[in-house]
Amino acid sequence: MPPTPLPTPHTTPDGSAVIRVLSYNIRSMRDDENALARVIRACAPDLVCVQEAPRFFRWRKHAARLAAKSELVVLSGGATAAGPLLLCSLRATVERTEDVLLPLTPGLHRRGLATAVVRFGGARLGVLSCHLSLQADERYAQAGMVLQRLAALDVPHAVAAGDVNDRPGGRAFRRLAAELQDCWAVAPWGGEYTSTPADPHQRIDAIFATKGVEVLGCGVPAGLEGVSDDDLRAATDHLPVLAALRVPAAV
């Protein structure tokens, strides 16, 4: 049975905004690019936090092509953030962006963060896309850096989303959830598990929000109108996470 529809993005008379945020590990667009774009379009997101965006030869061209096929625009990130990328709809007014490279541990992959501050009507929101380490100690430290970077955005409301490479009981995941709302745990909607599309059995991708953001629903958009199981399996090696959030108006 399809999940209850998520609220449609809109701005309310009091200046708050209902938005949709999508988090998606796209495996460098090595799979079915058209299926990937169809999934993103069907989710109708205002913000997309991408992980494993193309980072090498003509990476900007690849990111721009994905944005165009998804009816979005590139906001920030890519190779300059070591993989995390932000896309946005034309609803967003961009205040600023910053890509951050995290400390390199010899022998491990370089990691980074794509960040921005955007406005939807009277609501201001910080947004961060991340892809944390496979190594437990480094991953835990990087979770702390995500929290520090959110605080450095200096906005009252923010979301962080990405491939945590950790389950909800893990140290890094718990470090994030201790200070932020784990959106699926607050308002579960759709499916829970994000890995793998062929055999979903673990939740390692998540969307987190600061305390003042109201979570209206969050989960894997399995069964969502326009999102086919075939496309979800063909698009990449992770399932996406979609959240509907109500962001209060800025004071």
Side-chain angles (χ1 to χ4, degrees):
M1 181 176 179
T4 303
L6 286 177
T8 302
H10 64 277
T11 302
T12 63
D14 65 1
S16 65
V18 173
I19 67 167
R20 288 187 180 187
V21 179
L22 184 70
S23 184
Y24 211 172
N25 182 319
I26 65 171
R27 194 159 67 161
S28 299
M29 296 169 61
R30 297 201 305 267
D31 301 285
D32 187 332
E33 187 177 309
N34 290 324
L36 177 65
R38 284 194 295 269
V39 171
I40 295 173
R41 284 199 310 272
C43 291
D46 296 294
L47 295 167
V48 184
C49 296
V50 172
Q51 302 85 48
E52 290 193 31
R55 294 187 293 129
F56 300 109
F57 185 63
R58 293 183 176 175
W59 65 270
R60 288 183 176 86
K61 180 178 179 181
H62 294 307
R65 188 174 69 245
L66 176 63
K69 286 185 174 183
S70 305
E71 300 176 358
L72 300 167
V73 296
V74 174
L75 176 57
S76 183
T80 49
L85 173 74
L86 294 174
L87 307 177
C88 68
S89 73
L90 295 179
R91 285 188 72 211
T93 299
V94 183
E95 288 193 6
R96 65 181 189 270
T97 65
E98 183 178 6
D99 300 331
V100 179
L101 291 176
L102 300 181
L104 176 64
T105 301
L108 298 180
H109 288 295
R110 190 68 183 257
R111 304 282 176 172
L113 310 173
T115 74
V117 176
V118 296
R119 286 185 285 114
F120 296 93
R124 293 177 72 232
L125 183 71
V127 57
L128 179 153
S129 179
C130 63
H131 187 184
L132 303 189
S133 176
L134 290 166
Q135 202 277 332
D137 290 340
E138 183 181 52
R139 181 168 62 243
Y140 181 78
Q142 289 171 351
M145 295 173 199
V146 167
L147 296 172
Q148 292 170 2
R149 182 53 52 176
L150 284 181
L153 292 176
D154 194 27
V155 290
H157 309 295
V159 294
D163 181 350
V164 186
N165 269 322
D166 204 9
R167 299 181 183 187
R171 288 196 307 145
F173 200 112
R174 287 188 288 111
R175 186 172 192 177
L176 293 169
E179 295 196 28
L180 304 169
Q181 299 181 85
D182 172 7
C183 292
W184 190 88
V186 172
W189 167 92
E192 177 181 5
Y193 300 131
T194 62
S195 176
T196 59
D199 178 28
H201 64 280
Q202 58 181 348
R203 182 161 73 98
I204 60 173
D205 304 83
I207 297 175
F208 299 92
T210 51
K211 303 297 184 183
V213 174
E214 182 184 358
V215 183
L216 304 175
C218 178
V220 174
L224 183 68
E225 183 177 355
V227 179
S228 73
D229 289 343
D230 287 344
D231 278 350
L232 287 171
R233 286 191 293 266
T236 178
D237 63 343
H238 284 242
L239 293 172
V241 183
L242 178 64
L245 308 172
R246 188 188 307 276
V247 184
V251 176

